[in-house]
Amino acid sequence: MVSKILRGFLGVSLGFIFLYLALRRVEWNNFYGIFSRSTFCLAGATGIFILIGLFFKGLRIAWIAQGSPARLAVYTQGVVLGLGVNSFVPLRAGEAAKIFYLAKGAGIGFLRAGLLVAMERILDFFSLGILMLAAIFTNGILFHLWLERIGARSLVPVALIFWLFLLLALTVASCAIIITKNVFNLRERFKKHQQSLQNTFREILREFRDRFGASLGFSLMAWACDTAFIYSLANVFHLSMSIEKILFLQMVLSLAYVSSVSPGALGIYELLGSWTMKNMGIADDQSMAFLLTAHALTYVIMFLGAALVATRIGWSFNFKGD
């Protein structure tokens, strides 16, 4: 518990450090001027693509679970709750919240819910790989400049490596304690249910194999919606960015989320995004106004969505699925 609290504190602290590094070169007079020329209503309207993306993510996990869109509302609510918690709580706590919600709300049990979330991450891995290949293939020179930027000799890469190493060491230490001390009698519990666990695991893997194609399609649609959100918001801010550059920026921002260094990629989202957009020839003030708006919209939508789901279940979790 102490190590988890420490890792959470370090993650939040690192996020604010990255945010400071991203904001320190912003000329605030120009920054506010950019917002005055932009239409807030249009910027908010671009959030529709985030909502459509959430729908496809819910459809994806529903398809993995049962091969049909039945009970789509329950699975989508689980996705929204998980993403909302991940946006504000460190240590990927949203994954645990999603598993708990699906286990209770969909009545599928904790093992199946946990494996469903693992299958989601596999699909995200494939989708991100496809996005990276497309982005790098269409932006070879930009990719080279970006690598030089993040590999430049500065305190940021050194600090990042240090904190990531410390987080990894704490994680390994926690796992070692759990294994050596046999916390919660996990060994006995696993042996007792070993055969049942193996059968369930094989069944889910077989279902996932049969439903992989359609599930990957829904996953790619969700990622396409995220890219459409970035593209439409860039147009609101009158940024001259081709679709190839949008793909590359989306790749970088996605990697920031995947890193899970801080809750909701706080700080790392703005820092990596501003570095990338500077290599695209966009001024720091413009890029930061765009990135802060994009991140803020995501935070607001995830918070409201998670709050609605939490209100619906009343935090009691004594409910039945739709």
Side-chain angles (χ1 to χ4, degrees), residues 222-293:
W223 284 73
C225 289
D226 293 339
T227 305
F229 164 67
I230 296 297
Y231 179 75
S232 58
L233 189 61
N235 286 329
V236 170
F237 280 89
H238 307 292
L239 301 178
S240 56
M241 299 174 66
S242 63
I243 188 63
E244 292 83 6
K245 291 182 178 179
I246 291 292
L247 277 176
F248 192 86
L249 179 60
Q250 175 62 20
M251 179 199 75
V252 173
L253 298 179
S254 299
L255 290 174
Y257 275 115
V258 170
S259 69
S260 301
V261 174
S262 58
L266 175 68
I268 192 69
Y269 182 97
E270 287 78 11
L271 187 62
L272 292 181
S274 61
W275 284 355
T276 303
M277 296 179 76
K278 188 170 185 177
N279 287 331
M280 294 177 181
I282 299 174
D284 291 334
D285 306 325
Q286 286 183 304
S287 63
M288 197 51 59
F290 165 78
L291 291 168
L292 288 175
T293 302

Side-chain angles (χ1 to χ4, degrees), residues 104-178:
K104 294 291 186 179
I108 59 177
F110 289 101
L111 175 62
R112 181 173 285 272
L115 289 174
L116 284 178
V117 173
M119 302 305 175
E120 267 194 314
R121 299 292 75 81
I122 292 174
L123 289 171
D124 280 333
F125 174 80
F126 276 97
S127 301
L128 179 59
I130 294 173
L131 174 63
M132 290 181 67
L133 288 175
I136 294 172
F137 180 77
T138 56
N139 296 274
I141 297 177
L142 184 59
F143 179 66
H144 178 71
L145 292 174
W146 185 73
L147 286 180
E148 287 184 347
R149 178 71 178 179
I150 64 174
R153 306 186 83 183
S154 65
L155 293 177
V156 176
V158 176
L160 178 60
I161 292 173
F162 171 76
W163 289 116
L164 289 178
F165 177 79
L166 182 58
L167 291 175
L168 178 61
L170 289 171
T171 302
V172 173
S174 301
C175 295
I177 292 173
I178 291 174

Side-chain angles (χ1 to χ4, degrees), residues 311-322:
T311 302
R312 179 182 180 276
I313 63 179
W315 291 114
S316 64
F317 291 101
N318 293 320
F319 59 94
K320 296 181 178 179
D322 293 346

Side-chain angles (χ1 to χ4, degrees), residues 54-71:
L54 291 174
F55 166 77
F56 279 112
K57 290 174 183 176
L59 184 58
R60 175 183 64 181
I61 194 171
W63 202 272
I64 297 172
Q66 52 198 16
S68 72
R71 308 186 72 188

Side-chain angles (χ1 to χ4, degrees), residues 42-110:
L42 287 176
T46 60
I48 189 67
F49 290 108
I50 298 178
L51 297 177
I52 298 173
L54 291 174
F55 166 77
F56 279 112
K57 290 174 183 176
L59 184 58
R60 175 183 64 181
I61 194 171
W63 202 272
I64 297 172
Q66 52 198 16
S68 72
R71 308 186 72 188
L72 177 60
V74 174
Y75 288 101
T76 304
Q77 288 163 11
V79 169
V80 172
L81 180 63
L83 291 174
V85 174
N86 274 339
S87 297
F88 297 95
V89 182
L91 304 178
R92 304 290 296 182
E95 305 301 331
K98 184 195 297 185
I99 291 171
F100 196 89
Y101 184 90
L102 293 177
K104 294 291 186 179
I108 59 177
F110 289 101

